[in-house]
Amino acid sequence: MTHQYELMVILNPEIDERQVAPNLDKFLKVITADGGSIDNVDIWGRRRLAYEIQKKTEGVYAVVNFTATSAATQELDRQLNLSELVMRTKVLRAEEAIAMIASEKARADEKAARKAARPAKPAKQDA
């Protein structure tokens, strides 16, 4: 059974940006060979990391949306983790990603509602 997935990958910043797509394609062959499909590849380019990874402060980000079986997805993740070029990966099922975004929005809405419901602090008056 196939599912929709989203893969976020952070590549070593020393890679030439023109080499990002061909390198990703090598890994994504696991998906297409198993009968899956690559729906979208979005290369964000070089970005600053929130914290150092492997003593690096930057990485080349890419997001890939694809449809595949869970076995092919696990094999893709395994191969990405073995690669020296890849600093971090995260694979999410599309349903999980949508649910996470929805729950974060609901939490933020509740917080905003609580803040709006609080009585305003009285202004301090000078004597």
Side-chain angles (χ1 to χ4, degrees), residues 11-12 29 34 39 50 63 67 78 83 85 87 94 113 116-117 121:
L11 300 168
N12 190 319
K29 283 186 176 141
D34 192 54
D39 304 327
V63 177
T67 305
R78 186 187 75 78
S83 173
L85 286 175
M87 293 169 39
K121 292 181 182 172

Side-chain angles (χ1 to χ4, degrees), residues 2 15 28 43 47 49 54 65 82-83 89 97 103 111 120 123:
T2 61
I15 187 173
L28 297 177
I43 299 171
R47 300 276 173 105
L49 300 172
Q54 300 172 2
N65 295 317
L82 291 174
S83 173
T89 64
S103 69
K111 186 177 178 181

